[in-house]
Amino acid sequence: MKDINVITKVVKSNNFLKIENLTTMKKERRAKIISRSSKRIEEIMPLISSIISSIQRDGDKALMKYTEKYDGVKILSSKITVKKTEIKDAYKKVESEDKELIKNMQSSIDLIKAYHEQEKMQNVGNLKSWEKSVKAKDWKEKYQKLVVGQIYNPLNRIGVYVPGGNAILFTTALMGVTPAKVAGVKEIIVASPPSRGGDIDHKIIVAADLAGADLIVRAGGAQAIAALACGTKSVPKVDKIFGPGNIFVTAAKAFVASNGICAIDFIAGPSEIMIIADKTVDSNFVARDMVSQAQHDENASAILLTDSKKLANDVRKRIKDILLEENYENDLREITTKSLSNYGAIIIVDNILDAIYFSNDFAPEHLEIMTKNPRKWIDKIKNAGTICVGKYSPVAISDYICPNHILPTGGSARYTSGINIDMFLKKTSLLQANANMMPLLNKSIRNLSMAEGLYNQHGLSISVRLDYIKKKKKRKR
């Protein structure tokens, strides 16, 4: 489709982003919109399994082999990790190209940190360990209580994957490393493919270092996930992996998590935006926001839900105009056109409440609410990675500044959240009982364990203590 004439023909056709009506939409069409891209990671799992097995067996040697094969970069074992002198050189390159960029990066870090610091403050006891006495309703005596609690410990070592393919997504380093630092993670390793002139882009190196990464690894794709999850001579094994990536990265994360090799944040797929808007919003706002997300990936999803036919028509026209602009880069134009053709939609709803219900079914990564009174609808939103409220809160702010752009996609916002402090913590439960509780607990646990057929050891572990207490009392007499 790279031929501009072909793209123009697609964009100008009557079927491109054809306006639909939610009320008359067929079930099959609704299901297709909600299911997004049909590209499935199961198809490449045999390859992923092979790569991970090779990394487990051959370590750095396998990592170097796959880096050459998939990134086209022949790398020495001494160059797998980025040295301090190379980090200094990266700073010099960034400063020579754009004197303001490091300052802008630091501003983003400050705001991301402020968001996660506030999140930390809202957690129980400011993430401090806690204890509390608890009783059952039928426990009447003062001594009849158990002490329970939680001990908070940050993960020891985590990995953050930073994509380096079509775009230089250095902000992912800021978004992944910063909350880990706030949570108190001891060691943070960033991995990114050396696909830009044979190396990681210097902006990614600077962003990772500025945010507080302890080690930067020249590795991408499934082989990077394998190295982080399994460990090699050069790459320490991590406890959990964070960050988005292409289908190979996603499949590798799914593999290591499902096989108990390493924990992950969540499975992240192509970018998504859903916009709920009414007649009060400028159509150019909506069009630009849809295009900005669609150009991420040809499998990305950009959807508008509106109760205004005029807005629907104006947005469609504006998107077509944008895609046909002379200064639109051809590669991005092709990606955006494919994305909007396959997974984009402009849907007219009877009312905003219907749009909310559809959005909750879809569970978007990014949700923009651009209506007359946008905050009116917030409490009704149950499933979304991030909610951008009002016409002056485009997704671009959350992508580059804060709160955080590492978010669940593919409908997983129904059951999980974007990156948050809890993801970097372990919560160990605490229990303490006293000797006076043994008679009561003996009765309860005897009944419960016998009902399960496991009394022989579980119940006896209580009764043996009760016998000990009784004997001890007799000796005192």
Side-chain angles (χ1 to χ4, degrees):
M1 194 197 278
K2 285 187 178 180
D3 186 338
I4 184 64
N5 293 323
V6 176
I7 297 174
T8 300
K9 187 177 179 180
V10 171
V11 173
K12 286 186 174 180
S13 72
N14 291 330
N15 288 325
F16 181 75
L17 267 185
K18 193 173 183 178
I19 295 172
E20 305 170 77
N21 193 297
L22 186 61
T23 304
T24 58
M25 184 181 290
K26 291 182 179 180
K27 289 182 180 179
E28 295 78 10
R29 172 58 178 158
R30 182 185 178 112
K32 184 181 178 182
I33 292 172
I34 290 175
S35 65
R36 288 90 148 169
S37 170
S38 60
K39 208 169 185 180
R40 301 183 66 82
I41 61 177
E42 287 83 357
E43 298 169 11
I44 60 170
M45 274 304 181
L47 172 62
I48 298 302
S49 177
S50 174
I51 292 172
I52 291 171
S53 294
S54 294
I55 297 287
Q56 286 177 316
R57 183 179 63 251
D58 300 324
D60 285 350
K61 184 179 177 182
L63 183 59
M64 290 185 288
K65 179 183 78 172
Y66 289 119
T67 298
E68 183 175 5
K69 183 175 181 178
Y70 296 118
D71 291 320
V73 178
K74 194 169 184 177
I75 192 168
L76 299 173
S77 58
S78 60
K79 296 285 286 183
I80 289 175
T81 60
V82 178
K83 306 297 184 290
K84 289 183 178 180
T85 54
E86 294 171 320
I87 293 173
K88 288 181 180 179
D89 289 340
Y91 273 91
K92 290 177 183 177
K93 286 181 182 178
V94 172
E95 288 172 347
S96 67
E97 292 174 358
D98 187 342
K99 292 182 180 179
E100 293 294 312
L101 187 56
I102 292 176
K103 179 183 175 182
N104 295 151
M105 286 183 185
Q106 186 60 58
S107 293
S108 290
I109 290 170
D110 292 345
L111 291 162
I112 298 163
K113 184 179 179 182
Y115 166 73
H116 288 292
E117 286 280 12
Q118 184 60 36
E119 178 195 357
K120 184 177 176 180
M121 292 295 293
Q122 297 303 317
N123 275 278
V124 177
N126 191 18
L127 299 187
K128 292 178 182 177
S129 302
W130 59 270
E131 293 183 23
K132 186 176 181 180
S133 296
V134 294
K135 299 181 70 169
K137 289 181 180 178
D138 62 338
W139 293 0
K140 305 300 182 184
E141 302 297 331
K142 287 184 178 181
Y143 65 81
Q144 292 178 335
K145 60 186 177 182
L146 295 173
V147 175
V148 295
Q150 282 184 332
I151 299 171
Y152 287 82
N153 280 303
L155 296 173
N156 184 56
R157 182 189 294 133
I158 64 128
V160 176
Y161 185 82
V162 180
N166 294 330
I168 307 165
L169 301 178
F170 62 84
T171 51
T172 299
L174 308 181
M175 300 285 179
V177 175
T178 304
K181 295 293 287 184
V182 172
V185 174
K186 293 180 181 177
E187 189 175 356
I188 303 165
I189 300 172
V190 168
S192 191
S195 54
R196 298 266 169 179
D199 202 355
I200 301 172
D201 188 275
H202 46 280
K203 290 186 281 294
I204 292 176
I205 293 174
V206 169
D209 182 72
L210 203 62
D214 297 287
L215 185 68
I216 303 171
V217 176
R218 291 183 173 96
Q223 61 270 23
I225 301 303
L228 290 169
C230 305
T232 72
K233 184 178 180 181
S234 300
V235 185
K237 176 180 170 63
V238 303
D239 302 313
K240 193 171 184 178
I241 299 171
F242 296 78
N246 62 21
I247 191 169
F248 296 98
V249 170
T250 301
K253 286 175 67 179
F255 184 94
V256 298
S258 62
N259 285 277
I261 300 171
C262 184
I264 63 170
D265 47 3
F266 43 75
I267 300 298
S271 185
E272 304 166 0
I273 183 172
M274 178 163 282
I275 300 172
I276 297 174
D278 61 19
K279 64 182 181 180
T280 63
V281 68
D282 189 311
S283 61
N284 198 37
F285 291 4
V286 179
R288 288 291 178 187
D289 292 354
M290 290 179 71
V291 168
S292 71
Q293 295 303 305
Q295 73 176 10
H296 275 277
D297 190 297
E298 63 184 55
N299 294 304
S301 177
I303 297 168
L304 166 64
L305 298 165
T306 180
D307 59 355
S308 168
K309 290 182 181 179
K310 183 179 184 307
L311 179 66
N313 284 303
D314 289 349
V315 168
R316 182 173 185 249
K317 182 180 182 303
R318 187 70 194 97
I319 288 175
K320 288 187 172 212
D321 290 343
I322 292 169
L323 290 175
L324 296 176
E325 289 174 352
E326 288 185 11
N327 61 349
Y328 204 120
E329 188 180 328
N330 270 350
D331 285 345
L332 291 177
R333 192 199 314 267
E334 181 182 11
I335 291 169
T336 308
T337 302
K338 283 183 177 179
S339 169
L340 292 171
S341 295
N342 295 324
Y343 305 109
I346 296 176
I347 304 169
I348 295 174
V349 295
D350 289 342
N351 53 67
I352 297 299
L353 196 56
D354 284 347
I356 299 291
Y357 293 148
F358 185 89
S359 177
N360 282 333
D361 284 343
F362 188 89
E365 176 190 22
H366 305 103
L367 173 64
E368 291 185 357
I369 305 178
M370 292 190 279
T371 60
K372 185 178 180 180
N373 183 8
R375 298 196 69 86
K376 170 184 176 182
W377 307 106
I378 293 176
D379 289 345
K380 297 187 183 301
I381 301 296
K382 306 303 177 186
N383 305 321
T386 287
I387 304 172
C388 298
V389 185
K391 63 183 72 175
Y392 299 111
S393 307
V395 167
I397 297 175
S398 67
D399 273 349
Y400 288 97
I401 305 295
C402 74
N404 202 298
H405 75 211
I406 303 177
L407 301 166
T409 63
S412 56
R414 289 181 293 107
Y415 53 81
T416 193
S417 311
I419 274 198
N420 59 78
I421 292 296
D422 283 355
M423 289 182 172
F424 300 96
L425 297 171
K426 297 173 295 177
K427 299 178 183 179
T428 303
S429 56
L430 181 73
L431 166 70
Q432 184 176 3
N434 59 63
N436 292 331
M437 287 293 294
M438 290 302 108
L440 178 61
L441 291 173
N442 186 50
K443 290 180 181 178
S444 296
I445 293 173
R446 175 187 171 87
N447 289 340
L448 292 168
S449 63
M450 286 186 73
E452 284 191 341
L454 295 172
Y455 175 70
N456 189 44
Q457 296 304 328
H458 286 79
L460 289 175
S461 71
I462 304 295
S463 65
V464 72
R465 286 169 168 77
L466 183 58
D467 291 343
Y468 172 81
I469 293 167
K470 288 178 179 178
K471 288 177 183 178
K472 192 175 180 181
K473 285 183 178 178
K474 283 182 179 179
R475 285 196 297 269
K476 284 185 177 180
R477 291 173 186 170

